[in-house]
Amino acid sequence: PLGFVESSCRSRIFWMKLNKLLLQGKFFQLEIYDPYSGPVLLDEKLASRCGYVLSEDVWGNPIFRASVLSCHVASEADELFSLTVNIKVSSFSSMRAAVTYTYPMYCSYASWASREIVCEENYMEVSVKTDVPAVSNDYTVAWMSALPETQNVAYQQWQLMFVSPSGRKRITVSDAVKLGYSFNNTLSRVYLRAPYHSNESDISGVSGVNMNMITSTSMYRQRWLLLLIDTTVSCPVDGISFTNTTLTWTVPRVIPTLVVQESTFLSKSIVMGVDDRVIVNPEEMNYLLEYNDTHIRITIPIGAEGGKLESSISGGVYGVIYCIDLFLEHTWMDAGWQTTKYTIIKSITTPFMPQIPNVTNNTVPEERLFNVAFGHFLHDVSLVAITVGNVPFSLREAQHHGFKIYETPFSNGTKAFILEVSFDDPYVLKEYVNRNETKYTLLVNYTLSVGLEMTLYYHSAEVECVIADIEVPEAVGSCDEENLYLTLPTFGLHQYWDLYLGNQLLNQHLALTNGYLAATNSTHLILQIPLFSGGLIYEEVSFQKIKARFDVALRKVRTMETLQMFSISCNFNSSAFIICHPNGTVMVSAQMKTVPAIDMSKTKLRDSSCKPREYNEAHAFFKFHVTTCGTSVRFEGDHIIYENEISYEKEILPGQSIPTITRDPDYRLTVLCYYQAKETLVLGAFSSGLATSPPFGSGTMLPRSNTAAYRRVRQALNVVSRVSKDESFMEFYGPGVEILKQPMEPVFLEVELKDENPNVELYLENCWVATSPDFNNTPRWNITVDG
């Protein structure tokens, strides 16, 4: 097919490239056409022995290379060379029903050097002109050691002598073939081809580079002629080094085993190339070709033109690999060999280089739109899906939902993926922070397809943006003759903040319990607080007036931090009333309603010493504590009832006989105060510094009776304390169970007096948190102090 095969002849190498696009989904094989025996299937063993290479270029195109001295090349006068290759293509791995394409290649090469060495990927090859004098005037040890063996060289037959640290070995050409070698001669040349790391080879270091070396002599005897040819070959097996930005290939400039007289060594040319192209001006491609007396060094920037930078995944980490196919051609002269052309073909791949992708937040808060760039990636990476919050989206689903996803290219050939998401999207997390700000958090997990293998790669990111877009509400208070009113905007209520009455959440249940009336419209909450309802603070109480105040706090939902205090204070005309304070103080305004009228100054409580604090003709005002003035107590259901009585001391007319005579009417007013026997209080505990606050708390609850305050109590009180699992106080933790709590997470405590004695009452005086059950342990965090 058109464009399926490209070929060239570079120096003395056949190059052939197959188009991978025309081989997609197919299998192929190469056959080398032998003019005498027909097609021969190319395999690894044949390739290294006969001078063939089958590999891929950095772009994945199959590459075939062959030496002009390979086994099946036809030669004309050692100048014109031809090779025919069969390319078999099939849709099946068994290669059945294969289509065969026959492709002939031709190469012209007449500028042979006296000695030419090729270091290929899978073989080493040396070829020598046979008109070179057989023995140099410099009788080196290797040559001298070979001379005694020449007496045993068979007549009219080539033999090979290998010299290695283990000794000398002389074998015939046919035996060498069995060991993977290839030896032959043409009209004017003799060549030896050997695989790397054969038994007859040796590894030695030359100027810091390891070389695979085979020291050999080819011998031929005919009549009075004894021909000895040095077929030693040496090729580098390492010399590659890497940094984060470059790769460096280092080769010895002078290889002692290949230069007989180093003092006569002279470099004629040093040329580098990429693929099959000579790079005349390496600096134009940012390559660096440099050399000194000992080394030749090629430095290539990672990602440079001519190579391929590709994405890869290793251990779940994204990174890149850079590949480039180089060759180096060094021509030198020395007294022993006249001219040597030394060619190395090297395919170099860097190690995996991790590249942690960057997530860049390009969000403009005023636009209320997340703009997140995710990169940089090569062209072989594609975005296939995203997860926002915990919801997965394909790209089509994401676009349909309203997310905007697109790519943006960069000048260095990389790209980034841009994701745009509105702040108001339901999958964006919103958190009220500080006083008037919202923190918007975008949690996104990217799913990428990486490289030709389309390996999936996952990367999560969290992007935050805080903007001042919340207005803290202001409340308006008012009063009428019997009520206080609080009007508050409903925006953000229960979402960002809540109302608290003291330390209790002002919810519907508390409002009903305290007798409040609540009404809402589309914008505001109106709270009606009747006089004498629960939660009021009485700043001034007399029979002339009552000054009542209602305080409510605006607190953050999550942290309970107080943002604003709203307070309404009003004066009311007093009449008959009773006020039972939570601390046990009772205030009573008794109204005179008798005929005839009585002197209100002479009214009293059960304890006659308890007189009115204030009085006039119509009222008497009493203030006392439930533990004084003869107040009695009893239990009814879930309530404790304190009872006292206001009465009038009658005046008795003077007389000597019984019965007594008085003009005063009876006046008795019973005073009752009801308190819940089992009450739930919501308290807040805040630490002053993070350094003294543990990350979480654990422990159990231990009660202790304050017997010091009641010296006359002889019996042990039956006080039980428990920790509830939630605010319902229906399910409790068992004794000895470790309880873990995060900071700001509520703890529900219950203290209960189970004593049946009606004269015993429970006052929770002190409650605190400590790090051990020891009552004297410090530090301690107080919950209640002095009740």
Side-chain angles (χ1 to χ4, degrees):
L2 184 63
F4 179 42
V5 182
E6 295 180 18
S7 64
S8 63
C9 178
R10 162 65 198 145
S11 186
R12 52 190 297 281
I13 303 291
F14 290 102
W15 295 70
M16 182 178 73
K17 179 173 73 173
L18 305 182
N19 190 334
K20 68 174 183 179
L21 298 178
L22 299 180
L23 289 173
Q24 285 184 348
K26 299 183 182 299
F27 302 88
F28 78 96
Q29 290 179 344
L30 294 186
E31 292 178 339
I32 310 300
Y33 185 76
D34 189 328
Y36 303 102
S37 59
V40 179
L41 181 64
L42 178 63
D43 57 22
E44 291 184 8
K45 187 174 181 180
L46 179 68
S48 62
R49 184 175 61 83
C50 284
Y52 304 124
V53 175
L54 179 60
S55 62
E56 289 185 352
D57 64 11
V58 296
W59 309 107
N61 298 298
I63 296 293
F64 171 75
R65 292 193 299 270
S67 167
V68 294
L69 298 177
S70 58
C71 298
H72 307 98
V73 171
S75 170
E76 295 182 16
D78 284 346
E79 294 184 1
L80 298 176
F81 305 91
S82 62
L83 177 66
T84 301
V85 178
N86 290 336
I87 308 166
K88 301 181 69 174
V89 181
S90 173
S91 299
F92 307 96
S93 59
S94 63
M95 297 305 295
R96 61 185 177 89
V99 178
T100 301
Y101 302 95
T102 300
Y103 191 80
M105 293 184 290
Y106 303 94
C107 196
S108 174
Y109 185 67
S111 57
W112 287 97
S114 300
R115 178 177 59 177
E116 298 207 359
I117 296 175
V118 175
C119 300
E120 256 286 8
E121 292 183 26
N122 58 342
Y123 67 86
M124 304 181 290
E125 180 184 274
V126 54
S127 69
V128 180
K129 277 187 178 181
T130 53
D131 58 358
V132 174
V135 180
S136 169
N137 291 330
D138 181 11
Y139 291 94
T140 62
V141 174
W143 278 98
M144 295 299 292
S145 63
L147 287 176
E149 297 293 331
T150 61
Q151 304 301 322
N152 299 319
V153 174
Y155 184 68
Q156 292 187 337
Q157 183 177 350
W158 282 100
Q159 291 187 342
L160 301 176
M161 166 86 81
F162 294 102
V163 179
S164 66
S166 60
R168 296 190 300 271
K169 179 191 293 185
R170 179 169 52 84
I171 59 176
T172 64
V173 171
S174 59
D175 290 335
V177 171
K178 296 176 182 178
L179 296 176
Y181 295 95
S182 179
F183 177 85
N184 210 335
N185 65 309
T186 65
L187 291 177
S188 59
R189 304 188 75 80
V190 170
Y191 64 85
L192 172 68
R193 190 178 303 113
Y196 285 92
H197 307 295
S198 65
N199 290 334
E200 292 73 32
S201 67
D202 183 32
I203 298 294
S204 62
V206 178
S207 300
V209 178
N210 286 326
M211 308 290 291
N212 192 200
M213 177 180 65
I214 295 178
T215 303
S216 66
T217 303
S218 303
M219 300 177 289
Y220 184 81
R221 183 178 183 183
Q222 183 177 5
R223 294 184 182 179
W224 58 87
L225 174 66
L226 176 62
L227 185 62
L228 301 180
I229 300 177
D230 184 1
T231 48
T232 296
V233 62
S234 182
C235 289
V237 292
D238 55 21
I240 308 297
S241 60
F242 306 95
T243 68
N244 291 333
T245 57
T246 61
L247 66 86
T248 301
W249 180 24
T250 303
V251 176
R253 187 179 183 190
V254 180
I255 305 169
T257 55
L258 302 181
V259 179
V260 176
Q261 298 181 31
E262 292 188 32
S263 60
T264 63
F265 175 87
L266 177 65
S267 286
K268 300 295 292 182
S269 70
I270 299 175
V271 177
M272 68 164 291
V274 176
D275 297 326
D276 60 345
R277 298 176 293 110
V278 173
I279 306 301
V280 179
N281 298 308
E283 62 279 359
E284 293 181 359
M285 301 179 70
N286 294 321
Y287 301 161
L288 179 62
L289 173 61
E290 55 185 348
Y291 49 87
N292 54 28
D293 292 340
T294 58
H295 295 91
I296 301 171
R297 185 172 290 112
I298 297 174
T299 302
I300 307 291
I302 301 296
E305 180 185 353
K308 181 186 179 184
L309 195 63
E310 61 183 25
S311 301
S312 181
I313 301 296
S314 177
V317 176
Y318 172 79
V320 296
I321 294 174
Y322 180 68
C323 310
I324 190 168
D325 294 332
L326 299 175
F327 72 81
L328 175 67
E329 191 173 273
H330 181 197
T331 303
W332 72 76
M333 296 183 66
D334 66 88
W337 280 102
Q338 296 181 9
T339 303
T340 297
K341 180 183 285 187
Y342 187 78
T343 303
I344 314 171
I345 299 175
K346 193 76 171 178
S347 180
I348 301 175
T349 300
T350 66
F352 175 80
M353 296 178 288
Q355 303 281 321
I356 305 302
N358 293 320
V359 176
T360 306
N361 184 7
N362 298 319
T363 302
V364 179
E366 292 73 19
E367 297 178 358
R368 296 185 62 80
L369 185 73
F370 280 110
N371 183 294
V372 183
F374 182 43
H376 295 41
F377 294 103
L378 301 177
H379 61 86
D380 58 356
V381 176
S382 59
L383 181 64
V384 296
I386 62 171
T387 297
V388 177
N390 292 319
V391 182
F393 294 90
S394 66
L395 294 189
R396 178 176 295 182
E397 291 169 342
Q399 299 282 4
H400 180 74
H401 176 78
F403 302 147
K404 188 175 181 181
I405 302 174
Y406 56 94
E407 294 182 4
T408 181
F410 298 105
S411 59
N412 62 357
T414 61
K415 64 181 179 181
F417 302 101
I418 308 298
L419 172 64
E420 294 184 356
V421 179
S422 170
F423 284 3
D424 301 315
D425 189 274
Y427 300 119
V428 172
L429 302 181
K430 304 168 185 66
E431 181 184 1
Y432 174 49
V433 296
N434 303 323
R435 180 175 177 83
N436 63 338
E437 296 176 327
T438 304
K439 180 171 72 174
Y440 297 91
T441 303
L442 177 65
L443 301 177
V444 58
N445 196 331
Y446 297 88
T447 301
L448 304 175
S449 175
V450 178
L452 296 176
E453 298 81 8
M454 294 186 291
T455 305
L456 293 182
Y457 169 69
Y458 305 95
H459 187 91
S460 59
E462 179 176 335
V463 182
E464 295 179 353
C465 186
V466 178
I467 59 174
D469 59 354
I470 293 178
E471 183 177 352
V472 178
E474 294 289 341
V476 177
S478 60
C479 300
D480 61 17
E481 294 180 355
E482 298 180 348
N483 302 280
L484 297 89
Y485 296 92
L486 180 73
T487 303
L488 181 75
T490 55
F491 168 77
L493 195 59
H494 309 312
Q495 179 184 3
Y496 301 131
W497 42 68
D498 281 317
L499 291 175
Y500 276 80
L501 181 61
N503 286 318
Q504 298 184 76
L505 175 65
L506 184 52
N507 52 22
Q508 185 176 6
H509 173 72
L510 181 61
L512 291 175
T513 301
N514 287 351
Y516 308 154
L517 296 177
T520 57
N521 56 27
S522 59
T523 59
H524 286 79
L525 165 69
I526 303 172
L527 192 65
Q528 177 184 336
I529 306 101
L531 183 64
F532 306 124
S533 59
L536 283 176
I537 299 171
Y538 299 96
E539 297 179 310
E540 184 179 342
V541 178
S542 69
F543 61 84
Q544 294 178 340
K545 73 172 182 178
I546 298 175
K547 185 177 182 181
R549 190 179 83 238
F550 180 72
D551 293 337
V552 65
L554 189 72
R555 292 182 177 177
K556 288 185 179 181
V557 170
R558 189 175 67 87
T559 65
M560 293 181 61
E561 176 189 349
T562 300
L563 298 170
Q564 200 90 302
M565 287 295 300
F566 303 127
S567 182
I568 314 165
S569 181
C570 295
N571 293 321
F572 296 90
N573 294 325
S574 62
S575 59
F577 62 84
I578 177 172
I579 300 173
C580 303
H581 289 273
N583 64 358
T585 301
V586 181
M587 295 180 179
V588 182
S589 177
Q591 189 175 10
M592 194 278 291
K593 290 187 177 182
T594 62
V595 178
I598 62 173
D599 184 356
M600 296 302 290
S601 66
K602 296 181 178 180
T603 55
K604 64 179 181 66
L605 296 173
R606 282 178 179 171
D607 184 341
S608 59
S609 65
C610 295
K611 301 290 186 178
R613 297 285 185 95
E614 298 180 61
Y615 56 88
N616 60 15
E617 295 178 353
H619 296 85
F621 175 70
F622 292 86
K623 181 178 180 181
F624 62 96
H625 194 269
V626 294
T627 59
T628 63
C629 298
T631 308
S632 62
V633 61
R634 69 178 185 271
F635 291 86
E636 287 187 8
D638 291 335
H639 287 83
I640 303 175
I641 303 174
Y642 295 92
E643 182 177 336
N644 210 318
E645 183 180 76
I646 301 174
S647 61
Y648 172 69
E649 296 182 5
K650 296 181 180 180
E651 289 188 7
I652 301 174
L653 295 177
Q656 301 297 325
S657 59
I658 299 176
T660 58
I661 300 173
T662 180
R663 295 178 299 177
D664 295 332
D666 282 338
Y667 184 89
R668 293 185 183 277
L669 179 65
T670 300
V671 179
L672 299 174
C673 281
Y674 290 78
Y675 290 90
Q676 287 186 350
K678 193 174 187 179
E679 184 178 9
T680 301
L681 299 178
V682 180
L683 304 175
F686 301 94
S687 61
S688 60
L690 294 177
T692 60
S693 301
F696 58 84
S698 66
T700 56
M701 191 174 175
L702 303 174
R704 181 179 69 171
S705 300
N706 190 358
T707 55
Y710 303 95
R711 298 291 183 181
R712 293 172 297 174
V713 177
R714 299 295 184 182
Q715 72 276 18
L717 298 178
N718 187 9
V719 179
V720 177
S721 60
R722 297 184 294 178
V723 180
S724 174
K725 293 185 177 180
D726 55 36
E727 60 190 2
S728 69
F729 287 89
M730 299 296 291
E731 187 176 357
F732 296 86
Y733 292 102
V737 176
E738 187 179 63
I739 304 167
L740 301 180
K741 291 291 182 179
Q742 297 294 332
M744 305 311 299
E745 186 178 355
V747 180
F748 303 97
L749 310 176
E750 178 188 83
V751 182
E752 182 179 6
L753 175 63
K754 291 185 174 290
D755 204 296
E756 297 181 357
N757 187 342
N759 295 319
V760 179
E761 300 179 38
L762 173 65
Y763 290 92
L764 186 61
E765 183 179 30
N766 295 298
C767 183
W768 68 91
V769 177
T771 56
S772 79
D774 183 4
F775 284 98
N776 297 317
N777 179 264
T778 56
R780 57 194 281 174
W781 293 267
N782 292 320
I783 297 178
T784 63
V785 179
D786 295 333

